[in-house]
Amino acid sequence: MKTELFLLKKYWMSHKKQALSILISIIIMSSAVMFISLLTRSEDRYSFHESLDMCGNFDEGLYNLTEEEIELLKEQEEIDLIGKTIVFGRIGSPDYSDRTVAVGYFDDDIEKELMHLPISKGRFPEKEDEIAVEMSTLISMNIQPLVGGEIKFVLYGMDKKLIGEKAYTLVGIIDDLSYNSFRENNDISNLDPWNYVSEYPDPLAIVSKEEGEKYPALYTNVHLTYVNGDKMGFPSLKEFDEDVAKIIKEKSSNAFGGRKMAISSFVYYPSGGNISEKLMAGEKQELANKYRLIRIYAFICLIISAISIYMIISIYLLRRLESFRLLRLCGMTRKRTLRIMVMEMFIFGIIGTAAGMVIASLAHEITLFIRHIIYNVPIYRGYFIEYVLETRSFNPFIFTVIVTGLTVLIGFIYPFIKVLKTPIGSSEIVKKIRVKKYGNALRKTITARRSTALMMLFIFITILSSTLGMMVRAGNVASIERQSFTAQVMTAGFDGYISRNKWNDTSKFANINYDKGFPSDIISELEEKEYVSSVSAVLTDHTVRVYLGEGTREDELRKKLSSIELKNQVEKVCQIDKTIDFDREWQNYLQYFEDFGLDDTYAYYSIPVAACNDYLLSQLEEYVTDGEINIEALNSGEQVLVIEHIDNLRKVKNAFEVGDKVNILTSVAVDEKQISELIYDRLAYLPQKPFFAHPVVGGIITVTDPEISSLLEYIGDNPDKTPGFNFVTSFEGYQAWGFPQKNYDKVGINLTSEEYAEELDEFIYSKLSSEMGVTYVSMSEELKGIQRQMKNKAFVYLVMLVLMLAIFVIGFANSFTMYLNSSMRHFSSLRAFGISRRNLKKHIIVESLKLPVICALISGIICFLIKKAYKLLFDYQQALLTVKAPGASPDEVMVLTEKYTNIQNKFFMDFKLWEQDFISPLVAISLGIALLSAIIILVILRKSDDSIIEKIRSSFKEE
């Protein structure tokens, strides 16, 4: 063993560059495998924790537990982790303290992890006077979500007993949970009579433990995990002690959600079956579609690394065969020679793999840290991951050893065979150099078949994959920039959008919170701003009832509108729900109409009224199909318009005509506090005050613009179906009727230029107050947020592209350097024959640059064909919905839509590769490779061995 190690050491010391080259190639290979594996697992964790953000990381939530009950839980073997959230009060805005949410703190880091509240900006509190608040809570209290700013709250204790006003530093913003059904007991809106509000809600405002312990606790909520909960193995109540089972049964707060829901939404088994059983058995999952691009990048990186390592090992060991033959000539057995080769392979493999793992781990940490700094996302390392993720990936350490080891072994196979099969003789040691023409020798040197083929494949794959990668990157950036559509949905297509936080009214059609909304005087100020091009404002009263009496025209209208008549609507509900008695239900409605002086001889309909400002009314002029828009008649309350929404007219068609008289009714609750009683008893009586109006239809408007339709119609959870049309009047006309709502509830603002977005935001925020009950959304801010989120998700693609280019640059430089170094004797021979250094450089550079030029041409042709193929695929995909879908049956349309979606996801159509330029990145990458080749050649040739040249010259003189 010592002799073998001594021989290896002697050879490596005399051939340091070759040994270093092969070691570098193994390090590149192992670090690439390790880094890709870690990055994939890390990305898996990001996706899984997004699900946990929605659902929580606990298996069971229990509310209002005592310390004795918590101790009982800790003694239970089936329970793994237990965390406590202590709530000590409620906080509200000083301007509008009726809107309050629970405030509390985590007892320890375990509870923070179990609750898994997502922080979009900043961090959780760590010191006194610091606070983190949920986004929609800040908006509802008219508090600008600016991390680092000081905010003031009114703090309440038990039974809303005032503690005092408290100033906090906002250090973190919790993601918006207002639309999260899995956390609905978090008391998102305690003014909404239809929303479930827990008596012991989890806090939406979090302070540090140090701050929270200043106040007496109101209650303690507990979250826990079970021993096999990560495998969806949950114990039954029978497995618990009797006292513990009683606690869980009586105080469980999560009917659904939690880690079980997160795992169910994340796990993917194509064969279906029981997820829990498959997880418990450790059955491997299939990666989701969104990881296909990462796997493609990973595969290319591994191919490039493998070619590089095989090429270097081949060159190294074929040169090494000379020393092995010499050893054989000196009497060393074939077995001992192979042992040296095996030892050499293991030493290189172990050192290279270990160093590669260290480098990959360091690169992994740096990558995650950069991502954390840029996008403020948590750091999820890929070393040790959750059980549900282990079933869809390989251990990175074992995987790296196996892949690198196999690659090195394959590289050593050919030299092994050569040692075993090649006969050893003295004639093979001493060879004469015969060169007829330096060009032939040069060509043999530069274009040796195996090395040239490998080098060409190496360069070709790099140019093609890098070009396509740059096209994907450009398409990804373009797709991010195109997200203005998503932002427009959030802002209804305006640069700034204000909307009233509507509460679902009861089935008794009473207006509640009718003093909320955005005042008209502020809109007048907005319209005077030079940077504002237009302001569209509308007040929507969806509690309106239209009633029709008896008569020739009335009978005709009643017949055409029978499908939305209130009585028929109630009857349909009773037919579906057999527990509801129609007579009792209808009499309950009639009670209110009788209070208003009406009876069952009238027919009643739910048709919303939209009151618009002058600018919005002017935009409706082009859609008038009958009559006219008479602003004076509208402002006086004498006329009303009927607006038809073309997309919804197939549901219920408008029956009103110009000149028809419309009887309109709305009401307000005499005592709004009684509205909450209707949650528990829909038949409870709610005294109301009615308002009446009797305008005449002055015009019919048929809107084909979906943005205007979405602004002027109300679609929501009404007790009656909203028809495909509604009434429109002016804001002044609505006030002339004496109807209750006082302010606009939708305001859209357009700017003369995007550069004034910040100025608009400042103005709106300076005017907003919590009492308005409105939310402001800025197009610029929404666009930034959406693009930031998408760039975070696309970060891994950029990392993989950079990794691929880094592997190529290092691998190519290493391979090509060794490639040329191995031919140094040939270069020196040519110099000895009288070739000038300049001519030698010229010929070598010309021959070497042929490879990137040929590879670039082939890659260009392939990219062109790929681009054409994508254009044909895009045309086919669009034809599915634009040509085949129209006129097809619903089932056929569903099949076509599914095919459209599959093409969209499977072929990465979002990147629009058929629109991306491939020539610029192709030329840039090819020139880069050519320049790198030239630099390496020039550096190597400067070191050509002149002593060898003199020896060769002298030997020829002697002959």
Side-chain angles (χ1 to χ4, degrees):
M1 180 70 75
K2 290 184 179 179
T3 304
E4 285 83 352
L5 291 174
F6 173 77
L7 290 173
L8 287 174
K9 180 180 178 183
K10 279 292 183 181
Y11 186 83
W12 291 341
M13 293 303 293
S14 59
H15 298 81
K16 293 178 183 178
K17 291 181 180 179
Q18 293 181 13
L20 184 61
S21 291
I22 193 170
L23 195 60
I24 289 174
S25 67
I26 296 174
I27 290 173
I28 292 172
M29 178 72 178
S30 58
S31 61
V33 175
M34 180 77 170
F35 181 79
I36 291 168
S37 181
L38 289 174
L39 192 65
T40 303
R41 287 158 67 95
S42 176
E43 198 63 21
D44 240 353
R45 293 194 69 195
Y46 276 110
S47 297
F48 181 58
H49 280 266
E50 284 181 354
S51 298
L52 293 177
D53 289 343
M54 289 288 294
C55 310
N57 196 19
F58 52 88
D59 296 326
E60 193 75 57
L62 305 172
Y63 63 85
N64 193 30
L65 264 62
T66 63
E67 287 299 323
E68 292 77 12
E69 291 172 328
I70 295 173
E71 289 302 318
L72 286 174
L73 293 175
K74 290 180 178 179
E75 296 172 3
Q76 198 71 39
E77 293 181 357
E78 291 79 4
I79 295 176
D80 185 17
L81 299 175
I82 295 179
K84 298 188 295 184
T85 294
I86 293 90
V87 174
F88 62 85
R90 301 182 70 82
I91 57 172
S93 167
D95 298 332
Y96 187 47
S97 56
D98 285 342
R99 173 72 170 99
T100 65
V101 296
V103 58
Y105 60 92
F106 303 132
D107 186 59
D108 52 30
D109 289 339
I110 293 177
E111 175 66 357
K112 184 193 296 185
E113 177 59 28
L114 294 181
M115 280 287 286
H116 217 282
L117 292 175
I119 288 284
S120 58
K121 294 181 182 178
R123 56 175 173 81
F124 280 110
E126 298 171 354
K127 304 174 184 177
E128 292 185 21
D129 301 325
E130 292 183 344
I131 195 169
V133 186
E134 188 262 348
M135 174 66 85
S136 64
T137 297
L138 292 171
I139 292 174
S140 68
M141 295 182 181
N142 190 36
I143 297 173
Q144 293 190 50
L146 300 176
V147 173
E150 184 180 276
I151 54 178
K152 292 183 179 180
F153 292 107
V154 177
L155 182 62
Y156 300 91
M158 187 69 75
D159 298 326
K160 268 199 167 184
K161 183 179 180 181
L162 179 64
I163 295 177
E165 193 170 290
K166 174 69 178 177
Y168 290 102
T169 299
L170 184 65
V171 297
I173 297 174
I174 302 170
D175 269 352
D176 189 354
L177 302 175
S178 60
Y179 298 102
N180 190 333
S181 60
F182 298 137
R183 297 184 186 270
E184 66 177 354
N185 65 332
N186 278 3
D187 191 18
I188 299 300
S189 174
N190 61 3
L191 290 184
D192 185 349
W194 281 89
N195 196 32
Y196 168 64
V197 179
S198 171
E199 188 178 357
Y200 302 100
D202 290 326
L204 288 177
I206 305 295
V207 299
S208 65
K209 185 175 182 180
E210 187 179 8
E211 172 70 22
E213 287 180 338
K214 295 179 182 178
Y215 308 94
L218 297 184
Y219 54 88
T220 300
N221 287 352
V222 168
H223 299 90
L224 56 86
T225 60
Y226 296 120
V227 172
N228 288 320
D230 58 343
K231 304 173 185 177
M232 294 183 70
F234 304 109
S236 64
L237 289 178
K238 295 179 180 179
E239 297 179 52
F240 294 105
D241 295 340
E242 186 178 345
D243 293 340
V244 174
K246 183 179 179 181
I247 294 171
I248 295 175
K249 184 177 181 180
E250 294 179 354
K251 295 195 173 184
S252 177
S253 61
N254 62 308
F256 53 88
R259 186 165 57 170
K260 178 179 180 180
M261 182 63 69
I263 294 175
S264 298
S265 64
F266 191 77
V267 171
Y268 178 60
Y269 287 111
S271 59
N274 189 299
I275 294 176
S276 180
E277 290 179 1
K278 293 191 174 187
L279 279 177
M280 293 288 283
E283 184 175 330
K284 285 290 181 182
Q285 304 174 53
E286 183 174 316
L287 282 175
N289 260 345
K290 63 182 177 180
Y291 294 106
R292 285 191 304 113
L293 189 57
I294 297 176
R295 282 182 285 177
I296 292 171
Y297 274 123
F299 180 74
I300 293 171
C301 289
L302 295 182
I303 289 294
I304 294 175
S305 300
I307 294 174
S308 173
I309 196 172
Y310 180 71
M311 188 162 48
I312 289 176
I313 290 176
S314 297
I315 295 172
Y316 171 77
L317 289 179
L318 289 176
R319 291 289 308 277
R320 186 84 163 89
L321 283 177
E322 296 179 10
S323 65
F324 288 140
R325 291 186 179 119
L326 184 60
L327 291 174
R328 289 293 309 283
L329 191 65
C330 295
M332 182 176 285
T333 64
R334 181 179 280 114
K335 183 178 180 181
R336 196 167 187 183
T337 305
L338 288 175
R339 188 190 306 161
I340 292 176
M341 294 183 70
V342 172
M343 285 180 61
E344 190 169 33
M345 179 183 71
F346 270 101
I347 291 172
F348 275 133
I350 291 171
I351 295 175
T353 303
M357 285 182 175
V358 172
I359 293 172
S361 299
L362 181 62
H364 183 58
E365 293 293 332
I366 293 173
T367 301
L368 295 181
F369 178 74
I370 292 173
R371 189 175 189 177
H372 170 70
I373 293 298
I374 296 176
Y375 301 110
N376 192 42
V377 295
I379 293 177
Y380 295 122
R381 296 176 175 85
Y383 309 108
F384 305 102
I385 60 179
E386 292 79 0
Y387 177 82
V388 66
L389 305 181
E390 287 284 4
T391 59
R392 65 195 293 169
S393 64
F394 299 100
N395 184 290
F397 302 98
I398 298 175
F399 185 67
T400 302
V401 170
I402 292 174
V403 174
T404 307
L406 287 175
T407 306
V408 173
L409 179 61
I410 292 171
F412 272 80
I413 287 177
Y414 179 72
F416 283 167
I417 296 173
K418 292 286 285 185
V419 170
L420 287 171
K421 292 187 175 182
T422 303
I424 304 298
S426 59
S427 61
E428 297 180 62
I429 300 174
V430 181
K431 295 182 179 180
K432 292 182 179 180
I433 301 176
R434 297 179 181 274
V435 179
K436 295 180 179 180
K437 189 177 181 181
Y438 73 83
N440 292 334
L442 180 63
R443 195 169 290 108
K444 288 178 181 178
T445 300
I446 300 299
T447 60
R449 290 180 182 177
R450 184 187 302 107
S451 299
T452 302
L454 288 173
M455 184 63 74
M456 188 170 182
L457 181 62
F458 184 75
I459 295 173
F460 167 71
I461 292 176
T462 301
I463 292 177
L464 179 61
S465 57
S466 299
T467 303
L468 291 174
M470 295 298 287
M471 290 173 68
V472 169
R473 173 65 183 165
N476 187 51
V477 171
S479 69
I480 291 173
E481 297 301 326
R482 287 194 298 268
Q483 290 309 306
S484 58
F485 172 76
T486 307
Q488 286 176 354
V489 173
M490 302 296 292
T491 62
F494 297 100
D495 294 322
Y497 183 61
I498 302 167
S499 60
R500 178 181 163 197
N501 303 324
K502 282 185 175 293
W503 289 270
N504 294 328
D505 294 330
T506 72
S507 59
K508 305 306 184 235
F509 55 84
N511 270 288
I512 62 174
N513 301 297
Y514 48 82
D515 57 341
K516 308 301 178 189
F518 201 68
S520 57
D521 57 335
I522 301 180
I523 290 177
S524 299
E525 289 186 54
L526 267 174
E527 291 172 334
E528 293 175 1
K529 299 290 182 182
E530 293 183 358
Y531 55 80
V532 174
S533 64
S534 65
V535 180
S536 302
V538 62
L539 178 162
T540 308
D541 190 341
H542 62 275
T543 64
V544 164
R545 288 284 194 274
V546 172
Y547 59 97
L548 296 173
E550 296 177 342
T552 304
R553 179 56 182 159
E554 286 79 0
D555 290 343
E556 185 180 345
L557 288 172
R558 289 170 74 156
K559 184 178 181 179
K560 291 181 178 179
L561 299 175
S562 61
S563 62
I564 60 170
E565 185 181 346
L566 180 59
K567 187 174 183 178
N568 292 335
Q569 291 285 330
V570 174
E571 188 173 2
K572 288 178 184 177
V573 171
C574 295
Q575 288 173 355
I576 297 172
D577 189 349
K578 302 298 184 183
T579 62
I580 302 177
D581 180 70
F582 170 74
D583 291 332
R584 185 181 178 191
E585 193 76 14
W586 180 238
Q587 286 301 319
N588 186 256
Y589 275 101
L590 284 179
Q591 180 181 3
Y592 291 93
F593 296 127
E594 289 173 357
D595 289 348
F596 303 154
L598 304 173
D599 53 37
D600 61 354
T601 61
Y602 291 93
Y604 302 92
Y605 311 87
S606 176
I607 306 176
V609 169
C612 308
N613 70 335
D614 291 344
Y615 175 79
L616 190 52
L617 285 173
S618 69
Q619 298 302 298
L620 299 178
E621 289 281 359
E622 62 179 292
Y623 301 105
V624 175
T625 55
D626 191 13
E628 63 176 353
I629 299 178
N630 187 328
I631 299 296
E632 185 177 346
L634 290 176
N635 289 344
S636 65
E638 296 174 3
Q639 287 189 4
V640 71
L641 305 172
V642 177
I643 183 168
E644 301 172 337
H645 306 283
I646 196 68
D647 292 335
N648 288 324
L649 279 179
R650 60 180 180 273
K651 297 178 181 178
V652 182
K653 291 186 178 180
N654 167 44
F656 291 95
E657 298 176 357
V658 173
D660 285 337
K661 182 180 179 182
V662 183
N663 300 314
I664 301 176
L665 159 71
T666 190
S667 64
V668 297
V670 175
D671 184 359
E672 288 191 20
K673 293 181 180 179
Q674 294 185 24
I675 292 177
S676 60
E677 297 176 10
L678 299 181
I679 298 174
Y680 308 104
D681 183 5
R682 69 175 186 278
L683 300 176
Y685 180 68
L686 179 68
Q688 298 180 40
K689 176 184 176 183
F691 299 86
F692 296 95
H694 308 281
V696 173
V697 176
I700 307 295
I701 302 169
T702 304
V703 175
T704 56
D705 187 336
E707 289 187 1
I708 294 180
S709 285
S710 64
L711 197 64
L712 293 179
E713 71 175 336
Y714 177 80
I715 300 176
D717 296 325
N718 277 332
D720 315 306
K721 179 190 287 186
T722 300
F725 64 93
N726 57 277
F727 295 115
V728 171
T729 186
S730 66
F731 183 74
E732 290 78 5
Y734 182 87
Q735 290 180 320
W737 293 344
F739 278 20
Q741 291 194 39
K742 298 179 173 60
N743 301 306
Y744 291 104
D745 53 21
K746 295 179 186 177
V747 180
I749 307 152
N750 281 326
L751 298 172
T752 56
S753 174
E754 293 179 1
E755 64 186 75
Y756 297 112
E758 189 173 338
E759 193 170 345
L760 173 65
D761 294 347
E762 290 180 1
F763 174 80
I764 296 297
Y765 280 122
S766 69
K767 297 295 182 179
L768 290 180
S769 70
S770 297
E771 293 180 353
M772 294 180 183
V774 298
T775 299
Y776 172 66
V777 183
S778 167
M779 168 71 84
S780 61
E781 291 300 316
E782 284 295 317
L783 195 56
K784 287 178 185 176
I786 293 170
Q787 290 180 351
R788 188 181 186 86
Q789 186 178 14
M790 288 193 65
K791 287 177 181 177
N792 172 40
K793 292 184 180 296
F795 180 77
V796 66
Y797 301 143
L798 176 62
V799 170
M800 293 298 286
L801 183 60
V802 170
L803 173 66
M804 186 168 63
L805 293 175
I807 289 173
F808 168 75
V809 170
I810 299 173
F812 178 77
N814 189 34
S815 304
F816 199 59
T817 300
M818 189 170 181
Y819 183 40
L820 294 176
N821 274 325
S822 67
S823 304
M824 187 59 69
R825 286 180 177 272
H826 296 279
F827 299 152
S828 300
S829 300
L830 295 174
R831 289 277 290 115
F833 299 148
I835 300 175
S836 67
R837 188 184 296 272
R838 180 179 179 183
N839 285 335
L840 181 62
K841 288 179 181 179
K842 177 182 177 182
H843 282 284
I844 294 175
I845 290 175
V846 169
E847 290 288 337
S848 299
L849 293 185
K850 285 181 181 178
L851 293 180
V853 171
I854 294 171
C855 293
L857 290 174
I858 297 173
S859 300
I861 294 171
I862 294 175
C863 288
F864 176 78
L865 294 176
I866 290 175
K867 191 172 178 179
K868 286 293 183 182
Y870 259 98
K871 183 64 172 69
L872 293 173
L873 182 62
F874 172 72
D875 292 339
Y876 169 75
Q877 182 196 29
Q878 297 304 307
L880 291 174
L881 299 184
T882 59
V883 178
K884 296 184 178 182
S889 66
D891 291 340
E892 291 173 337
V893 171
M894 187 177 296
V895 172
L896 291 171
T897 304
E898 184 178 355
K899 187 180 290 187
Y900 180 96
T901 305
N902 288 337
I903 292 174
Q904 188 75 16
N905 296 330
K906 188 175 182 179
F907 295 97
F908 312 108
M909 301 300 283
D910 286 338
F911 298 142
K912 294 192 174 183
L913 293 184
W914 61 92
E915 293 182 357
Q916 307 310 321
D917 173 39
F918 71 89
I919 296 177
S920 298
L922 179 69
V923 172
I925 294 167
S926 301
L927 287 176
I929 293 174
L931 180 62
L932 183 61
S933 302
I935 292 172
I936 294 172
I937 291 170
L938 294 175
V939 172
I940 293 298
L941 291 182
R942 287 188 62 183
K943 299 178 181 179
S944 59
D945 197 337
D946 289 333
S947 63
I948 295 177
I949 296 172
E950 293 303 322
K951 288 179 182 178
I952 294 174
R953 281 176 176 172
S954 61
S955 65
F956 272 94
K957 287 177 182 178
E958 291 174 3
E959 291 184 0

